[in-house]
Amino acid sequence: MTGQAIAMLPVNEAESIILNLVQPLRERDAEVVDLSAGAGRILAEPVTSQLDFPHWDNSAMDGYAVRFADIQNCDQQQPAVLEIVEEIPAGYQPQRTILSGQAARIFTGAVMPPGADTVVMQENTKREGNRVLILQVSEPKTFVRRRAAFYQAGTTLLPPGIRLSAPDVAVLAAAQCSQLSVYRRPRVAILSTGDELVTVDQPLQPGQIVDSNQYALAAFVAQLGGIPQALGIVRDDQEQLQEAIAQAITTADVVLSTGGVSVGDYDYVDQILSNLGAEIHIRSVAVKPGKPLTVATFSTAQSSVLYFGLPGNPVSALVSCWRFVQPALKKLAGLADGWKPRFIKARSRHDLRCGGTRETYLWGQLHLIDGAYEFSLAGGNHSSGNLINLAQTTGLAVVPVGQTLISAGESVQVLPVGLTN
Ligand code: AMP
Ligand code: MG
């Protein structure tokens, strides 16, 4: 396919081509980590409990452990009077069996003593020295958490392909899973092309600009749980770019390059990619911003590297990342689902205007007001070179091909982006 003309693709076609190219990480890409480093990682194997939970019958209340048969006929007028034979705080093993006429003082989480089958909460009792008066009858087995009531040993606690959250980590800790098999984090090489670019700490000479894409893309990759490999700035020089891409594909799962893919540069990038044995799948997408988008793969018997040639404009580069790279990275990372973009229906607070020939993404903020989403367009100029109003973006409103206006008050599809995602 390399070298042939490839038409400007509709956005959804480009999305499915990209997602079909992604080969998710597999078992051989798993690594073992301590539970304390597990949050945010993606499980590579199901986790099965070796333990029942609760581990033993225990009390759900502060009160008294009793035999139900002893209290079943009691009330305020005729309390059951029981002898307290033991006190069982949480963490202690009961020493006595509760016989008829006896009770044990017990606390929440403490092990039920043998012989007792019910807990009476202390609010329904009266203490008199070494005896307790039970003033109110409960149901049999009340306030006893039975061993294995929540799950039994052998139960699958968590399936593979989920990103571990705080409660997931709690479940694993309770089951004494101190080490986990998770997928390694995807390695994403980032390189910026352009003779005008300098790093953030270099003084600017006339005509130069800071390579903000390097920092933006590294932040984007890190936020998604990937490992950014910042390869720096490459001059607009075919040999240097070829060398940089050749190096990137030796270690990375995904390569993101920015700049150098706009019209006159096609043959140049094509040539480099084909010299290195890539197959080009996409060269241009009918999207605004972000039209020049090259997607290629480098495949060997062992691995496949996905290459995204993104536009140089900082806004276009990030919008392309959110729309196309993010789902690919999530799928590659091993997530079982949830990697497809999810759009939210929102009411637009502003008129949304565009040319109508390409699917247009307008950046701004999503707000949740009384349970309904609203979208406000970022103020200022919506040109793809204007980075300032992209700051704090939480949503991209989509205007479909063929439409030139979504009026204020109408509903619009919005892609949530940034930290909300
Ligand atoms: P290009 O895609 O190389 O034609 O670049 C388009 C525009 O984006 C130009 O104004 C570039 O100066 C700017 N640009 C390209 N690469 C970067 C970068 N890494 N960081 C910030 N701006 C860039
Ligand atoms: Mg350039």
Side-chain angles (χ1 to χ4, degrees):
M1 202 196 265
T2 306
Q4 289 172 17
I6 299 175
M8 192 162 81
L9 289 171
V11 169
N12 58 354
E13 271 181 47
E15 176 192 300
S16 45
I17 289 174
I18 291 166
L19 286 173
N20 282 331
L21 291 171
V22 173
Q23 296 183 4
L25 297 177
R26 284 163 284 173
E27 286 89 65
R28 67 157 197 248
D29 298 302
E31 61 189 21
V32 174
V33 295
D34 288 345
L35 178 61
S36 55
R41 302 299 299 271
I42 299 172
L43 269 188
E45 286 170 16
V47 179
T48 302
S49 178
Q50 308 294 315
L51 301 169
D52 292 332
F53 198 87
H55 314 312
W56 10 259
D57 292 358
N58 71 96
S59 175
M61 279 286 170
D62 292 338
Y64 293 86
V66 302
R67 298 166 71 100
F68 183 72
D70 285 349
I71 65 159
Q72 60 184 333
N73 297 318
C74 75
D75 58 21
Q76 296 268 2
Q77 277 68 48
Q78 284 195 307
V81 181
L82 304 174
E83 181 199 359
I84 300 163
V85 294
E86 191 177 11
E87 181 165 310
I88 315 169
Y92 286 83
Q93 180 69 32
Q95 302 297 314
R96 301 277 298 260
T97 296
I98 303 303
L99 305 175
S100 183
Q102 296 181 336
R105 177 77 171 121
I106 197 163
F107 297 92
T108 305
V111 177
M112 284 293 285
D117 56 16
T118 299
V119 171
V120 181
M121 61 175 171
Q122 64 191 30
E123 290 82 346
N124 294 336
T125 67
K126 188 164 174 240
R127 182 79 181 249
E128 284 184 356
N130 204 28
R131 300 185 316 168
V132 60
L133 279 56
I134 310 294
L135 306 173
Q136 197 176 313
V137 72
S138 53
E139 296 292 315
K141 302 186 175 145
T142 309
F143 300 131
V144 178
R145 295 191 286 224
R146 305 286 300 180
R147 174 176 184 159
F150 299 153
Y151 62 79
Q152 293 183 324
T155 301
T156 301
L157 299 175
L158 298 172
I162 59 164
R163 197 186 288 284
L164 292 172
S165 62
D168 300 339
V169 168
V171 165
L172 295 169
Q176 293 199 305
C177 302
S178 57
Q179 302 226 294
L180 310 172
S181 173
V182 296
Y183 292 116
R184 66 175 175 78
R185 293 155 68 196
R187 295 183 288 260
V188 184
I190 300 163
L191 47 95
S192 304
T193 66
D195 285 343
E196 74 279 33
L197 303 176
V198 295
T199 59
V200 73
D201 47 2
Q202 278 177 291
L204 285 174
Q205 303 301 328
Q208 295 186 325
I209 58 164
V210 174
D211 170 19
S212 60
N213 288 346
Q214 188 87 209
Y215 302 91
L217 269 49
F220 162 79
V221 167
Q223 272 185 6
L224 283 173
I227 301 176
Q229 301 178 325
L231 298 186
I233 299 163
V234 184
R235 299 286 143 221
D236 281 319
D237 170 88
Q238 179 153 352
E239 236 169 71
Q240 283 189 34
L241 185 56
Q242 179 160 328
E243 217 170 275
I245 296 175
Q247 196 216 321
I249 61 177
T250 59
T251 55
D253 301 298
V254 175
V255 179
L256 306 178
S257 74
T258 61
V261 286
S262 39
V263 186
D265 294 326
Y266 272 146
D267 295 341
Y268 172 63
V269 174
D270 275 9
Q271 190 57 52
I272 290 174
L273 293 174
S274 76
N275 288 351
L276 294 170
E279 185 178 351
I280 299 177
H281 305 273
I282 296 173
R283 241 205 229 130
S284 178
V285 180
V287 62
K288 187 171 187 276
K291 185 175 105 183
L293 176 72
T294 299
V295 179
T297 46
F298 297 87
S299 300
T300 64
Q302 291 81 41
S303 67
S304 171
V305 179
L306 192 56
Y307 173 90
F308 288 90
L310 303 167
N313 266 313
V315 173
S316 311
L318 265 180
V319 170
S320 307
C321 279
W322 282 323
R323 184 62 186 86
F324 299 110
V325 181
Q326 177 157 325
L329 262 187
K330 285 185 171 180
K331 184 177 180 190
L332 188 140
L335 281 176
D337 56 27
W339 29 265
K340 285 213 165 169
R342 274 184 287 228
F343 293 86
I344 285 173
K345 199 168 128 185
R347 195 183 64 81
S348 182
R349 290 184 183 172
H350 300 104
D351 287 347
L352 307 176
R353 295 177 188 281
C354 66
T357 54
R358 290 185 269 155
E359 189 166 306
T360 300
Y361 288 73
L362 295 162
W363 49 101
Q365 271 77 44
L366 259 179
H367 311 269
L368 188 56
I369 308 287
D370 294 334
Y373 281 101
E374 296 182 10
F375 175 79
S376 60
L377 189 66
N381 189 327
H382 272 252
S383 105
S384 55
N386 181 19
L387 193 51
I388 180 63
N389 65 356
L390 196 66
Q392 295 294 302
T393 291
T394 53
L396 299 174
V398 190
V399 187
V401 174
Q403 242 175 297
T404 52
L405 172 68
I406 292 176
S407 300
E410 289 182 355
S411 79
V412 61
Q413 295 292 322
V414 179
L415 181 66
V417 297
L419 289 175
T420 59
N421 217 12

